[in-house]
Amino acid sequence: MKVLYSWLCDWLDEKPDFDTILNNLVKLGFSIDEINYTGSDTEGVVTAKVLKKERHPNADRLSVCEVSDGSEVYRVVCGAKNVDAGQIVPFAKVGARLGREVLKKVKIRGVESNGMICSAKEIGVGDDCDGIMVLDERTPIGIDVKEIFKPDYVFEVEITPNLGYCLSHYALSRELSIFFGYKLKEIKPFSFDRINGNYNFNIEIKTGNCLRYAGIIIKGIENKKTPLYISQRLKKIGLNPKNNLLVDVSNYVMFDIGQPTHCFDLSNIDDSIIVRMAEKGEKIKALDLNEYELSDEVMVIADNKKPLAVAGVIGGYYSSINDNTRDILIEIANFNPSSVRKASKILNVKTDSSYRFERGVDINLVDFAAYRMIELIKSLNPSSDILYYGDVKNFTVERRAIDVDVERIKSIIGMEIDKKKVDEILERMDRDYDGKKFNVPSYRMDIENLWDIAEEVAKFNGYDNISSRTTMPVERVREDKYHILKGRILNRLKVFGFNEVINYDLVSEKEIVKSGFSIDNAIKLINPLSKEYEYLRPSMLMSLLKNLRYNINRGVKSIKLVEFGSIFRKENAKPYENRRLSGLLGGMIDESEWWMEKEREIDFFYTKTSLNYMLSDFNEIKFGDKADERHIIKDLSINIYLANKRAGYFGLLNPDLLDSFDVKLKNVFYFDIDLDLLISSFKIEFHSLIKKPVPLSPFQYGVRDLSFIVDKKYSYDEIYRSFNKVEDLFEARLIDVYEGEKIETGKRSLTFRFIFSSMKKTFTDEELNSKIENIVKDLNKTFGAKLR
Amino acid sequence: MTSNEWLNELSKIEEKFEEAIKNEDVAVEEIEDLFVGRKGLLSLLLKKLGEVAVEDRKILGKKGNELKERILSYVKSRKDSFSGFKSYSFDIDITLPPKSLNNSTEHPLTITLNRIIDSFQKLGFSIEWGPLIEEDYYNFEALNFKQDHPARDMQDTFYLDLVDDKGKNYILRTHTSPVQIRSMLKYKPPLRIISPGKVFRSEAIDATHSFVFNQIEGFYVDKNVSMADLKWTLESFIKDLFGNKAMIRFSPSYFPFVEPGAQVEVSCVFCGGRDKNCRVCHGKGWIEMLGAGIIHPNVLKNCNYDPYLFSGFAFGAGIERFTMLLFGIDDLRLLYENDLRILRQIY
């Protein structure tokens, strides 16, 4: 809400300086933004009347004007198109100061100019520099423009939803007065004495959502010109005054004391007001010229025949004030906050009125608003008549009382506070406070319990003064598996130069479909910001592909990405959320070429190596068979198992997928692992994370290399596993694989280095030879292998 | 050879030896060779013992061997002590560049979060995680966001095309606070928990806003927990993160699930409040960092905790904000662009 400093001060007996007001508001928790100085920054600029306008003898676009400030007539040259005789204008005499400039006497095209008629911008009261500023015709001449454009400040106050009771200048002044002791001017309620005679009109409330409805009928309104100070104030707080008293005064009272009101043209009302819920399908053309179809959750103000307004939200077009309106009905009502909120949501219309009703308007404000409305309208229209005042109350007065437990208040705030201090603030809010029971004022709908009172006490005592101390006992921290595991995995991936990325969880339909995932199982946002971010990602693949493309397009050559994130899908009409560990590898192993080495591309076995190392905290992890995934080339893929459960896979991404994502790379490897599953079997205890060393033999190893030719149908894995039964075998290391010319097609040569070790002795040549012979025999028997 | 001649030879050798060891530059191997080597002077002389008279052999032999022992012990002591290496030379341009490895990095959000986790673990806070897809109940209702209250507009919510058991659409959590409810329902007090993670708001992306961002929630429930405990905890945390000079300041604020509520500002550690044009605090000297307060009695009640027996504090903060401050990043979007040219600088 925009707030005008001078308007705030109107409600206070004294006038605290602006900085004090600001600081105090900040102490009460209001965030303040956009502070602007308003008012004229000039010296010697006065109001003057343009008496005569003639064309400049030597220039078509200029005019020569005679201007009077009441005591003298000045001849000035003016370049503005909009200048005309009869106007009241700001006039700077020679020697006047406009901002930093001092005006001098000048000759313009041969004519001497004894001053300048100013634009709004020149006198510092607006941005308008297109033509001169024309003042209200009622403005007296010869007075300093600073009298009209008084130095003032306008600022934006952020009002949180709990502070519905602060949405007016009066209300903010009231807060300042309560917490900082300023004297607040009294607000007057309406008294019925002013009503003349009997007028046949009826108000009926047919719904519990309307708590109070007061209607005032005034006839014979002739003067509908909005007073200058009202339109100026409204303009300053960012409203657009309509220069129609009946519209502007309604807004003025709302920002003055916080009660929304509405003026109807009486001639369009059929002798009664009925507040009811709309009928389904009922329609109304509103002030914004839109036609709305209503539902039975929307409350309307109606007469016998038709809806006149959407209660608390927006007025109707046909009953609205127009230039010919002379007789009016003023509505001053109070509506249930949630019902106004619902209507505002259903119609998708937000107004200053609905904003206030949603947050709760003090039920007693009706009386004060009535006084202000009538006072303002009547003072400008002394001959108008108030013919009717009806006030229908549909609520019971219920003042909440709270037992004040000072000890508990102290224990909430955590500091010693004198009971006197507690009593002081509570007395200021509740005149009937007796030191024990606090009667919540009607405007404080937010205060429900002792904690709310504690906040008021803390505010009064100053949040700054809350001490910083604790009696928290020491507490044992539970180690977190996810946190620790993530750290360990990232640590292991450092060896390979991986970079961790974090992506948005929302992706587009197109990206999901392109990646080969089902759109039917994807979870969709009902209210997405855009098509680009419409679905929760069913996999991290698309996010990572976008990262890949982004970096490739920027010349990055070596890409190894890892992301810890969640994926989502529907399962039996319920959301399924699963934390995953996924990554992408593509391009070169090293980002920079190096003069000593040949560049190497990332390949399948580089990927396998890094994943093998990454997962080495898990003894039960096994690389298994080939993976069946749409986006993966099966022949270059591996399923990863944890114990006997499939935990994930890795493999070469299908080049068509890369194409569809515009990735200009051929070989990209992707891995995707169920992190929740890893976590479930992750043993976090420090002792179980320790890898204990195997004792070494004090005797020499025996080493023998062996090359043999074997049919390709036998996998390395099968052959390797056959060595399990070889005694004293410390390690069997594959050191060469050869296929090619020298070997029969369909076969390959494998070279193993066998390392034998015993805790008891060093093997003799004969012993080693016999061990190798046995291996050869077995290889031949099981796999038909022949020595090379 | 007579005994005298032999003795004469021996003393000549001894003189020669004395002469030889005066000069340390003479290599020890040379001395060894010259005197006690296979064809050394002394070795040869000792072989000639057979030529002298039988009765003198014993005495002469003893004398000869005494000298031999002396020489050998000299040689040994020279050999045992360090006497320098031979020099080798290579013709290599050692200014040629080393291999530059890819900088392997954690994401700046992870680095920041890990540091924050460390800080709170020192204060006895344990980690809990919550789902990103939430039910209205945990995200709003149980946290004292009343139905049809404008407080619900404080957090623009994404709704999902799935319905929960209460007939409401599932949502993406708008804050990490639902973990308060989930944890309080799961554990008995006392409770000291932090909960980091992603949250979602239906807000357009710009330099300081994003529809996905990370928060960290923290709360402590016990007997007699007050705002003083809250202030101490946050002060400890902020000093841990920004150094001992950092200060915090509370001002009133509103979140439906705390009462009293506070906004927490941190003194600008970048300019100390002295720079009118400070990029970070814009001359205010304070930066808004956290929301906090005493857990609302309605929230405790919703978790079956008696608000007259137990009380608690809670706080929440955006991790991106800390990250941007710590890493000097002005634009939030940079954190989600994952530009390796940027990420690889952060290690």
Side-chain angles (χ1 to χ4, degrees):
Chain A
M1 183 177 69
K2 278 197 168 160
V3 174
L4 200 60
Y5 165 62
S6 62
W7 200 344
L8 270 188
C9 293
D10 268 7
W11 284 106
L12 298 173
D13 265 358
E14 67 230 81
K15 192 178 174 182
D17 63 67
F18 179 64
D19 286 339
T20 311
I21 293 261
L22 274 195
N23 284 336
N24 288 345
L25 286 172
V26 169
K27 276 185 202 160
L28 293 180
F30 294 100
S31 299
I32 295 195
D33 260 340
E34 273 188 63
I35 303 166
N36 285 309
Y37 176 82
T38 75
S40 174
D41 181 22
T42 60
E43 221 59 73
V45 180
V46 296
T47 56
K49 187 164 190 165
V50 181
L51 301 175
K52 210 158 95 187
K53 176 192 173 187
E54 282 171 353
R55 236 187 66 190
H56 190 288
N58 305 324
D60 285 351
R61 292 193 180 169
L62 301 178
S63 49
V64 179
C65 301
E66 280 181 12
V67 176
S68 163
D69 67 354
S71 49
E72 251 181 273
V73 175
Y74 303 84
R75 221 169 111 86
V76 295
V77 177
C78 183
K81 280 187 209 148
N82 66 331
V83 69
D84 219 336
Q87 288 169 336
I88 309 281
V89 292
F91 174 63
K93 292 189 253 185
V94 171
R97 181 181 64 80
L98 297 162
R100 285 183 195 166
E101 307 279 326
V102 174
L103 197 70
K104 289 176 196 145
K105 187 187 275 190
V106 286
K107 237 183 199 169
I108 301 170
R109 293 280 187 110
V111 179
E112 199 162 81
S113 186
N114 294 302
M116 181 170 90
I117 304 174
C118 307
S119 70
K121 190 169 185 176
E122 280 159 342
I123 61 168
V125 297
D127 295 327
D128 196 352
C129 55
D130 207 19
I132 55 153
M133 184 181 200
V134 181
L135 301 172
D136 190 271
E137 62 200 35
R138 292 166 292 180
T139 313
I141 58 172
I143 58 167
D144 195 312
V145 291
K146 278 191 291 192
E147 293 287 314
I148 304 166
F149 303 106
K150 288 183 181 131
D152 205 344
Y153 297 91
V154 64
F155 52 96
E156 180 81 38
V157 179
E158 191 203 315
I159 300 199
T160 48
N162 59 323
L163 301 179
Y165 61 94
C166 291
L167 288 169
S168 73
H169 286 82
Y170 166 71
L172 281 174
S173 303
R174 179 175 56 200
E175 285 305 288
L176 288 169
S177 95
I178 287 172
F179 284 94
F180 301 101
Y182 305 121
K183 197 161 181 325
L184 186 69
K185 284 196 180 131
E186 207 173 332
I187 184 167
K188 290 179 199 137
F190 178 68
S191 99
F192 287 85
D193 305 345
R194 297 185 181 202
I195 299 176
N196 301 327
N198 287 325
Y199 186 85
N200 190 21
F201 196 84
N202 188 42
I203 295 172
E204 192 183 347
I205 298 178
K206 283 188 168 173
T207 164
N209 288 330
C210 177
L211 305 174
R212 188 172 179 186
Y213 197 100
I216 302 165
I217 288 175
I218 306 179
K219 283 197 172 185
I221 297 166
E222 306 293 343
N223 177 10
K224 283 175 288 192
K225 195 130 180 65
T226 307
L228 197 61
Y229 80 96
I230 291 189
S231 51
Q232 273 187 4
R233 280 188 167 180
L234 292 179
K235 219 181 259 176
K236 281 180 184 169
I237 61 165
L239 296 181
N240 184 14
K242 298 284 181 299
N243 236 336
N244 180 321
L245 176 70
L246 300 172
V247 178
D248 292 339
V249 90
S250 217
N251 276 326
Y252 186 75
V253 167
M254 175 160 62
F255 283 92
D256 191 29
I257 64 170
Q259 170 72 49
T261 64
H262 186 72
C263 294
F264 295 99
D265 186 326
L266 191 63
S267 63
N268 290 321
I269 299 179
D270 190 24
D271 285 345
S272 66
I273 284 289
I274 299 162
V275 188
R276 59 169 169 84
M277 299 313 284
E279 277 153 37
K280 223 176 176 174
E282 205 171 358
K283 284 178 184 158
I284 185 169
K285 185 175 179 183
L287 278 172
D288 61 7
L289 304 182
N290 291 324
E291 187 168 69
Y292 294 97
E293 189 171 319
L294 308 174
S295 81
D296 55 5
E297 287 190 292
V298 176
M299 180 173 25
V300 291
I301 312 300
D303 61 14
N304 283 317
K305 292 175 181 153
K306 58 190 181 292
L308 303 169
V310 181
V313 180
I314 192 164
Y317 175 72
Y318 294 109
S319 58
S320 65
I321 299 296
N322 58 56
D323 290 345
N324 304 318
T325 304
R326 292 179 76 251
D327 308 333
I328 59 164
L329 168 74
I330 307 173
E331 164 194 297
I332 309 172
N334 197 297
F335 304 110
N336 175 297
S338 65
S339 109
V340 173
R341 182 176 158 83
K342 248 187 220 160
S344 156
K345 288 235 153 172
I346 290 170
L347 269 56
N348 197 18
V349 176
K350 279 185 183 174
T351 58
D352 286 321
S353 163
S354 70
Y355 183 78
R356 281 169 178 74
F357 281 124
E358 272 185 28
R359 282 158 177 75
V361 174
D362 178 9
I363 196 94
N364 293 329
L365 265 184
V366 168
D367 303 303
F368 305 108
Y371 178 87
R372 291 292 277 159
M373 288 294 283
I374 290 167
E375 183 190 49
L376 284 165
I377 293 170
K378 275 288 275 182
S379 66
L380 293 163
N381 289 279
S383 62
S384 65
D385 282 323
I386 301 172
L387 294 178
Y388 171 84
Y389 182 97
D391 179 11
V392 182
K393 292 176 180 171
N394 191 25
F395 66 98
T396 45
V397 187
E398 207 183 296
R399 230 175 141 188
R400 202 179 285 122
I402 297 165
D403 290 326
V404 177
D405 176 349
V406 177
E407 285 312 307
R408 187 162 290 274
I409 290 174
K410 284 197 279 191
S411 86
I412 291 169
I413 303 174
M415 65 188 298
E416 211 33 66
I417 297 168
D418 201 350
K419 174 152 195 316
K420 273 188 207 151
K421 191 123 197 196
V422 175
D423 289 345
E424 192 183 348
I425 179 64
L426 296 184
E427 267 161 23
R428 287 188 192 178
M429 296 169 74
D430 167 26
R431 282 182 203 158
D432 307 330
Y433 175 65
D434 59 0
K436 284 178 201 137
K437 252 192 180 21
F438 176 72
N439 306 289
V440 181
S442 64
Y443 65 88
R444 288 301 302 266
M445 277 155 286
D446 61 312
I447 297 186
E448 291 177 343
N449 53 41
L450 204 59
W451 283 261
D452 298 317
I453 291 178
E455 178 166 283
E456 301 304 311
V457 173
K459 265 153 74 173
F460 187 54
N461 202 51
Y463 268 46
D464 280 349
N465 296 324
I466 296 170
S467 39
S468 164
R469 55 170 177 71
T470 192
T471 50
M472 280 197 287
V474 288
E475 171 87 19
R476 193 173 158 259
V477 175
R478 283 190 305 276
E479 294 231 67
D480 184 72
K481 283 188 178 186
Y482 177 88
H483 179 60
I484 303 247
L485 183 58
K486 180 176 174 182
R488 290 181 73 96
I489 286 175
L490 283 174
N491 234 349
R492 290 187 181 278
L493 286 178
K494 280 199 176 140
V495 174
F496 300 90
F498 273 77
N499 297 101
E500 188 201 3
V501 295
I502 296 182
N503 283 296
Y504 298 136
D505 298 63
L506 301 177
V507 295
S508 72
E509 174 174 348
K510 209 169 129 197
E511 286 158 357
I512 294 177
V513 174
K514 275 199 307 195
S515 310
F517 288 87
S518 146
I519 201 72
D520 300 332
N521 293 334
I523 299 176
K524 188 179 180 181
L525 268 57
I526 291 176
N527 55 336
L529 283 169
S530 69
K531 287 264 168 212
E532 206 184 336
Y533 305 116
E534 199 180 5
Y535 285 87
L536 281 166
R537 55 180 175 178
S539 158
M540 297 204 273
L541 178 59
M542 29 265 171
S543 311
L544 289 163
L545 280 172
K546 281 190 280 181
N547 298 151
L548 180 69
R549 180 179 59 208
Y550 181 99
N551 283 290
I552 290 283
N553 290 348
R554 281 157 186 78
V556 180
K557 281 168 56 192
S558 166
I559 294 171
K560 300 168 206 168
L561 308 176
V562 60
E563 179 169 8
F564 292 77
S566 297
I567 63 163
F568 310 85
R569 65 174 174 266
K570 292 176 185 169
E571 268 189 19
N572 304 320
K574 289 286 161 205
Y576 172 75
E577 193 177 324
N578 176 211
R579 289 184 287 186
R580 308 288 294 191
L581 162 62
S582 300
L584 263 189
L585 298 90
M588 295 297 159
I589 287 177
D590 294 307
E591 184 61 44
S592 335
E593 292 145 284
W594 192 40
W595 56 276
M596 269 187 92
E597 275 176 359
K598 235 183 115 191
E599 272 193 297
R600 230 189 96 197
E601 248 180 89
I602 290 168
D603 57 26
F604 181 79
F605 287 102
Y606 182 86
T607 307
K608 190 174 181 183
T609 305
S610 48
L611 296 186
N612 183 51
Y613 188 68
M614 173 180 92
L615 295 168
S616 49
D617 268 333
F618 296 88
N619 296 325
E620 302 120 306
I621 279 277
K622 292 261 158 19
F623 287 168
D625 49 350
K626 291 174 181 174
D628 247 325
E629 295 286 340
R630 264 193 223 180
H631 46 274
I632 294 281
I633 301 293
K634 189 169 180 180
D635 279 344
L636 276 180
S637 74
I638 291 185
N639 275 323
I640 300 168
Y641 294 91
L642 180 71
N644 289 318
K645 275 194 195 137
R646 184 175 186 249
Y649 61 91
F650 68 93
L652 180 69
L653 281 178
N654 191 310
D656 297 348
L657 169 68
L658 298 176
D659 268 354
S660 75
F661 271 83
D662 256 336
V663 172
K664 294 177 183 70
L665 265 187
K666 267 201 309 254
N667 298 331
V668 176
F669 298 88
Y670 175 67
F671 64 90
D672 179 24
I673 295 164
D674 185 340
L675 195 55
D676 281 325
L677 185 66
L678 288 193
I679 288 169
S680 70
S681 79
F682 180 56
K683 291 188 186 66
I684 197 169
E685 297 82 12
F686 180 61
H687 68 87
S688 57
L689 284 170
I690 293 172
K691 296 214 185 303
K692 297 165 187 78
V694 176
L696 297 175
S697 162
F699 301 99
Q700 267 185 8
Y701 292 155
V703 180
R704 285 284 190 281
D705 288 356
L706 182 64
S707 291
F708 52 89
I709 294 167
V710 66
D711 200 296
K712 276 172 72 179
K713 72 179 175 195
Y714 299 111
S715 73
Y716 160 80
D717 218 30
E718 284 171 89
I719 295 166
Y720 180 79
R721 265 186 280 128
S722 75
F723 301 141
N724 278 346
K725 51 183 189 287
V726 177
E727 267 178 45
D728 301 319
L729 185 61
F730 182 69
E731 196 187 332
R733 193 185 298 160
L734 182 71
I735 56 175
D736 190 41
V737 179
Y738 178 79
E739 283 174 52
E741 287 170 20
K742 294 173 196 160
I743 288 178
E744 215 180 309
T745 36
K747 300 203 169 177
R748 59 177 169 175
S749 153
L750 302 177
T751 306
F752 278 89
R753 174 158 300 159
F754 295 96
I755 301 170
F756 298 95
S757 166
S758 160
M759 295 304 278
K760 292 176 200 134
K761 61 174 180 177
T762 304
F763 293 113
T764 63
D765 276 355
E766 290 73 28
E767 285 169 323
L768 290 174
N769 289 346
S770 119
K771 282 178 183 296
I772 288 294
E773 268 165 39
N774 285 334
I775 291 176
V776 172
K777 242 185 254 162
D778 279 347
L779 281 171
N780 182 269
K781 204 169 92 192
T782 324
F783 304 109
K786 294 204 172 71
L787 273 187
R788 194 177 166 192
Chain B
M1 184 181 261
T2 66
S3 298
N4 277 339
E5 275 169 356
W6 197 93
L7 270 176
N8 235 347
E9 276 299 303
L10 187 69
S11 57
K12 270 186 196 158
I13 289 171
E14 188 166 9
E15 269 168 41
K16 222 169 183 164
F17 173 67
E18 299 291 353
E19 197 58 37
I21 64 173
K22 274 183 190 155
N23 186 356
E24 286 268 346
D25 288 346
V26 183
V28 65
E29 288 82 3
E30 218 173 288
I31 294 174
E32 189 179 19
D33 271 2
L34 182 62
F35 295 100
V36 293
R38 206 155 54 84
K39 288 184 177 167
L41 297 171
L42 185 59
S43 311
L44 292 176
L45 187 65
L46 284 172
K47 278 181 188 155
K48 286 182 183 163
L49 261 183
E51 297 173 20
V52 302
V54 181
E55 62 273 19
D56 291 338
R57 278 183 199 163
K58 206 173 171 185
I59 297 167
L60 295 184
K62 195 181 168 215
K63 285 195 171 183
N65 276 321
E66 270 169 12
L67 181 59
K68 189 181 176 184
E69 282 306 314
R70 226 188 109 202
I71 293 172
L72 283 175
S73 97
Y74 169 82
V75 166
K76 187 172 186 300
S77 81
R78 275 280 301 268
K79 277 190 173 172
D80 284 352
S81 75
F82 180 76
S83 57
F85 293 126
K86 265 191 261 170
S87 70
Y88 301 87
S89 64
F90 297 92
D91 184 18
I92 298 278
D93 176 4
I94 53 160
T95 67
L96 284 170
K99 180 169 179 170
S100 50
L101 302 172
N102 294 8
N103 281 334
S104 188
T105 55
E106 288 166 6
H107 194 277
L109 287 170
T110 300
I111 298 173
T112 311
L113 175 60
N114 285 347
R115 187 65 178 78
I116 294 175
I117 288 175
D118 282 352
S119 294
F120 282 109
Q121 285 189 333
K122 289 178 211 163
L123 301 180
F125 286 80
S126 297
I127 303 175
E128 283 287 319
W129 304 91
L132 308 189
I133 296 179
E134 260 301 357
E135 295 174 29
D136 181 273
Y137 179 78
Y138 294 102
N139 195 76
F140 290 124
E141 207 177 317
L143 285 163
N144 201 36
F145 283 82
K146 296 191 177 106
Q147 211 39 257
D148 288 320
H149 190 274
R152 290 204 171 209
D153 294 343
M154 291 169 84
Q155 301 174 355
D156 293 325
T157 312
F158 283 123
Y159 294 89
L160 306 178
D161 64 343
L162 286 172
V163 178
D164 67 25
D165 293 339
K166 295 192 176 71
K168 299 212 158 178
N169 281 90
Y170 280 100
I171 58 170
L172 290 176
R173 67 174 182 185
T174 57
H175 48 183
T176 41
S177 307
V179 184
Q180 281 187 40
I181 305 297
R182 290 181 175 277
S183 306
M184 282 195 265
L185 290 173
K186 186 165 152 195
Y187 303 106
K188 286 195 179 104
L191 209 55
R192 211 180 297 179
I193 280 168
I194 46 170
S195 182
K198 275 178 176 164
V199 302
F200 302 80
R201 307 252 175 110
S202 172
E203 283 177 2
I205 310 176
D206 65 22
T208 53
H209 295 88
S210 168
F211 58 84
V212 182
F213 60 99
N214 286 269
Q215 269 193 345
I216 183 145
E217 189 82 6
F219 57 101
Y220 169 51
V221 186
D222 204 339
K223 285 176 181 160
N224 292 316
V225 178
S226 74
M227 293 192 84
D229 297 306
L230 171 63
K231 208 167 192 176
W232 182 88
T233 303
L234 293 181
E235 202 168 78
S236 306
F237 159 59
I238 286 298
K239 283 184 191 297
D240 206 24
L241 202 62
F242 291 110
N244 235 338
K245 280 187 192 151
M247 292 182 295
I248 61 164
R249 158 172 111 170
F250 274 20
S251 53
S253 191
Y254 171 68
F255 309 95
F257 41 98
V258 289
E259 186 74 29
Q263 176 192 280
V264 186
E265 291 169 300
V266 176
S267 62
C268 182
V269 287
F270 301 93
C271 77
R274 286 184 296 273
D275 181 1
K276 277 259 171 288
N277 303 314
C278 177
R279 201 176 48 77
V280 177
C281 73
H282 309 292
K284 286 182 194 159
W286 295 90
I287 316 161
E288 277 177 42
M289 289 304 269
L290 301 101
I294 294 295
I295 298 175
H296 197 287
N298 291 351
V299 174
L300 294 177
K301 276 186 230 161
N302 289 337
C303 301
N304 309 316
Y305 287 15
D306 179 354
Y308 290 93
L309 206 57
F310 293 103
S311 53
F313 66 63
F315 57 85
I319 294 167
E320 277 78 355
R321 185 125 177 73
F322 286 105
T323 307
M324 289 167 78
L325 281 179
L326 291 167
F327 290 85
I329 294 169
D330 288 329
D331 193 329
L332 180 61
R333 286 167 289 199
L334 185 106
L335 293 171
Y336 290 91
E337 248 164 31
N338 296 305
D339 188 328
L340 293 180
R341 296 167 303 169
I342 295 284
L343 294 182
R344 282 179 180 157
Q345 294 178 51
I346 300 169
Y347 66 100

